[in-house]
Amino acid sequence: MKLNIYLLFAFIIFLSACSNSTFNHQPIHSDNFVTTINSYLKESDGGSVFEVNSHFKEISELKNNSTYFYLKGKGTGSLEPMSCEQEQNGYYCKLLLSYLNSETPFSPKEIKETDSFFNMYFLNRTLAQAGDNEGLQELKETFRSLETPPGTDKVEYYFYVVMDFLLNNTVTDIRKDISHFIENYSDEDLLDHNNPIILYAALIINELFSYEVNTNSIKEIYENKENQTTILFRDEITYWIHLEIVKELENKNENLDILSKVLMEAKPFNSYSYSLESIRNLYLMTNVFASKDISNADEYLKIINHRLRGYSRELEENLGEEIFYQISYLINYAEEITGEATKNKNINSDCDGIELFSEMYFCYKQTDQTAPANSVSIDMSEDLLTKVLKYDIITVSSQDMIELEKLSEDVLKYDEEDFYVILNIYTSLVQRYDLKVDKDLIIKKVEQYECNLGYCEPGGNYVFEVSVYLNNVLNILEGDEFAQKFR
């Protein structure tokens, strides 16, 4: 029987609220993880943009080919172009791969069907690279057949201006707009879907029309290490465009090399974000965001506390929920860390009668009780997670301690999907009962997952949840009482 571990999804939130600045400091042991956490928060005059990210296990073909495109000529290591089999963004993957291979990507009919000036720019570049004069002529005819986009659609309008110059040598004076956009581009824009695309077009226009708008502020944004980490988590299209922007900046500065180091260290995985609409997500975030090791702890906690207060009120109104005890435990732990705990007074202390094991488990954890031996028996044939969960709520006998010590070998070699949850609970048991287990081996197991962004799964993909748990394991070993409670 396994404890439910919820899948987590995307959010961007703009919010400002009051916060209690007193919280229990949770040390973060990986400098790389600190950098990654700092990359999540983007501040502006209007509040904070807050987006926590992880990587899926699957490599993105478009991200892979974008990375190869950027690194080509600088040293690509073991990276090679990938064929474009993934359906999502397959058009752009095919465009970029064709450019890399100097091939014509589309038939005359497909070229004629191009109805976006953004697409047309990259198609034109690819056809020129392949020396396809017929394709270029077809594209020119297609351009003439399309209407001029409105100036309010900056993505399409700017690329229309670019294409009108490249195909017809037409110069449209938009210096003021270009200058304003470049000068006002900020860290926050890195998270936007459209603004990096607009910036890329603006940089092209600035160069084509010799506007000579100063781009030093853009260079500084992209040279910032935390911003570079932010870029690694962007969606496929935005990631690709960010790399195009950097390449454009480097073309103007002969000895500039902005992203090679970070891209050589990071595999191009697809990314996903965590939603604030999840109590478990807030629980995970609180564990590390309440840390003096990160630069914006108060800002994070303003947002998290605002949401936790809402969930606390909902919990009071929904005592009969199927996962009431689990939710109650998560909220109470998060509020204890942030210094705003108000323990639920409506907790039923009769945990033994609860049928759902995960609820019974959290009932015992929430009420600081231990389960009677007759209600929780441990079968040694059960899976590892169930065993450690049961040991976590029973009164451990001397024989149980012997069995727990024997489990260390299984725990330390276990490498399945929930390995970090099991290691966290087992480490708590080791510390609580002073088990005769070599703690250096636990530390070594944590260290083997450390990577350039924090802690990664065996496949190399960074996962925020894994990082939170493994960092917590190290805090347990340091005797942190709040780390001991984290489940």
Side-chain angles (χ1 to χ4, degrees):
M1 185 193 309
K2 289 200 175 185
L3 180 67
N4 296 328
I5 309 260
Y6 298 108
L7 293 176
L8 313 168
F9 296 100
F11 74 86
I12 294 179
I13 179 164
F14 293 79
L15 186 63
S16 119
C18 296
S19 169
N20 184 343
S21 61
T22 302
F23 55 83
N24 291 290
H25 169 51
Q26 301 295 99
I28 299 173
H29 298 268
S30 164
D31 290 341
N32 289 337
F33 192 27
V34 171
T35 300
T36 299
I37 292 171
N38 284 335
S39 80
Y40 290 150
L41 186 71
K42 300 297 173 190
E43 296 178 85
S44 70
D45 293 338
S48 299
V49 183
F50 184 21
E51 185 175 299
V52 177
N53 299 280
S54 284
H55 282 144
F56 287 115
K57 293 180 180 179
E58 184 180 26
I59 294 286
S60 157
E61 291 168 352
L62 178 55
K63 280 190 171 184
N64 179 86
N65 292 349
S66 303
T67 306
Y68 184 88
F69 167 74
Y70 173 81
L71 291 173
K72 191 176 181 183
K74 301 181 178 187
T76 56
S78 60
L79 198 69
E80 293 290 340
M82 294 176 70
S83 60
C84 300
E85 306 297 330
Q86 295 166 354
E87 186 174 340
Q88 181 173 307
N89 296 319
Y91 174 88
Y92 300 106
C93 181
K94 189 177 177 182
L95 264 180
L96 191 54
L97 183 63
S98 299
Y99 178 83
L100 290 169
N101 294 333
S102 299
E103 297 172 348
T104 298
F106 301 115
S107 67
K109 180 177 180 295
E110 289 171 315
I111 293 171
K112 192 178 291 187
E113 290 171 353
T114 304
D115 59 1
S116 159
F117 294 102
F118 171 75
N119 292 356
M120 190 172 285
Y121 169 77
F122 290 102
L123 181 54
N124 180 74
R125 185 177 75 172
T126 302
L127 292 171
Q129 174 76 1
D132 185 351
N133 293 324
E134 288 184 16
L136 288 168
Q137 185 58 39
E138 187 65 58
L139 191 67
K140 191 170 185 178
E141 297 296 327
T142 303
F143 176 83
R144 288 172 179 162
S145 70
L146 297 177
E147 293 183 4
T148 303
T152 51
D153 183 352
K154 276 189 162 42
V155 169
E156 284 298 295
Y157 183 71
Y158 280 13
F159 277 102
Y160 163 80
V161 170
V162 171
M163 289 307 301
D164 201 21
F165 178 81
L166 293 177
L167 298 178
N168 302 318
N169 209 31
T170 303
V171 176
T172 305
D173 186 8
I174 51 172
R175 179 193 297 268
K176 188 177 178 181
D177 283 352
I178 295 299
S179 178
H180 182 268
F181 191 85
I182 290 174
E183 288 167 1
N184 286 277
Y185 190 83
S186 70
D187 294 349
E188 184 183 329
D189 291 311
L190 297 172
L191 298 177
D192 195 80
H193 293 290
N194 286 330
N195 287 347
I197 298 174
I198 296 168
L199 174 65
Y200 179 52
L203 292 175
I204 295 170
I205 292 168
N206 188 40
E207 186 67 19
L208 288 177
F209 296 173
S210 301
Y211 284 162
E212 297 185 356
V213 176
N214 192 309
T215 59
N216 284 340
S217 61
I218 304 297
K219 185 166 73 73
E220 288 173 8
I221 288 171
Y222 282 91
E223 285 179 326
N224 179 280
K225 188 176 179 182
E226 289 168 12
N227 287 342
Q228 291 175 356
T229 301
T230 300
I231 290 168
L232 295 178
F233 294 113
R234 296 307 90 218
D235 64 275
E236 291 180 309
I237 298 294
T238 313
Y239 174 90
W240 163 43
I241 294 300
H242 280 310
L243 267 57
E244 294 277 4
I245 289 168
V246 173
K247 207 165 179 65
E248 189 70 22
L249 291 171
E250 291 177 352
N251 287 341
K252 287 191 68 178
N253 298 269
E254 190 176 337
N255 298 317
L256 193 62
D257 188 351
I258 295 174
L259 285 177
S260 291
K261 185 176 184 293
V262 69
L263 294 181
M264 288 294 286
E265 291 175 345
K267 292 182 182 178
F269 292 101
N270 265 318
S271 299
Y272 63 95
S273 301
Y274 292 70
S275 171
L276 275 182
E277 301 302 320
S278 160
I279 294 170
R280 182 169 173 78
N281 289 3
L282 295 173
Y283 171 73
L284 292 171
M285 292 171 198
T286 305
N287 184 281
V288 289
F289 292 162
S291 175
K292 294 168 188 171
D293 295 327
I294 61 175
S295 58
N296 294 298
D298 283 338
E299 285 299 307
Y300 287 114
L301 293 181
K302 281 179 188 177
I303 298 168
I304 291 172
N305 280 334
H306 183 276
R307 300 312 298 264
L308 283 172
R309 283 194 288 271
Y311 281 125
S312 290
R313 288 192 294 270
E314 286 180 29
L315 186 67
E316 292 287 341
E317 296 166 4
N318 296 282
L319 296 178
E321 279 196 20
E322 187 178 347
I323 54 171
F324 170 79
Y325 290 101
Q326 182 173 350
I327 292 171
S328 179
Y329 185 83
L330 301 185
I331 290 176
N332 186 252
Y333 174 87
E335 289 181 335
E336 275 194 88
I337 291 292
T338 62
E340 297 204 356
T342 52
K343 202 149 189 171
N344 194 301
K345 296 185 176 71
N346 297 304
I347 292 288
N348 181 352
S349 59
D350 181 21
C351 304
D352 190 29
I354 299 173
E355 290 185 20
L356 187 65
F357 175 69
S358 61
E359 273 295 271
M360 180 177 70
Y361 172 83
F362 279 109
C363 178
Y364 282 117
K365 298 306 292 180
Q366 177 76 336
T367 56
D368 298 320
Q369 300 180 77
T370 54
N374 62 346
S375 68
V376 178
S377 59
I378 298 173
D379 183 343
M380 297 315 289
S381 66
E382 289 177 313
D383 64 80
L384 198 52
L385 178 59
T386 303
K387 284 180 197 171
V388 295
L389 286 170
K390 287 184 175 180
Y391 278 122
D392 195 29
I393 57 173
I394 66 170
T395 302
V396 172
S397 66
S398 56
Q399 181 58 40
D400 289 328
M401 288 178 69
I402 292 169
E403 294 300 330
L404 269 170
E405 287 170 355
K406 287 180 184 176
L407 273 184
S408 66
E409 187 177 343
D410 291 339
V411 171
L412 291 170
K413 71 181 182 184
Y414 188 77
D415 212 20
E416 300 299 318
E417 200 163 281
D418 53 2
F419 79 92
Y420 55 94
V421 179
I422 293 168
L423 184 64
N424 181 71
I425 299 170
Y426 185 75
T427 304
S428 179
L429 292 168
V430 168
Q431 199 75 359
R432 189 191 312 167
Y433 297 112
D434 196 22
L435 299 178
K436 294 174 183 175
V437 172
D438 188 343
K439 294 177 184 178
D440 285 342
L441 293 178
I442 295 175
I443 294 171
K444 284 178 182 176
K445 183 169 178 69
V446 171
E447 288 174 346
Q448 79 183 61
Y449 296 103
E450 192 163 4
C451 62
N452 63 308
L453 294 171
Y455 297 92
C456 290
E457 289 186 320
N461 53 309
Y462 161 80
V463 181
F464 174 70
E465 180 172 336
V466 172
S467 297
V468 171
Y469 272 89
L470 294 184
N471 185 72
N472 194 75
V473 167
L474 297 178
N475 284 336
I476 291 172
L477 293 174
E478 290 190 348
D480 186 321
E481 62 173 297
F482 287 97
Q484 279 271 15
K485 297 178 182 180
F486 185 73
R487 292 296 179 268

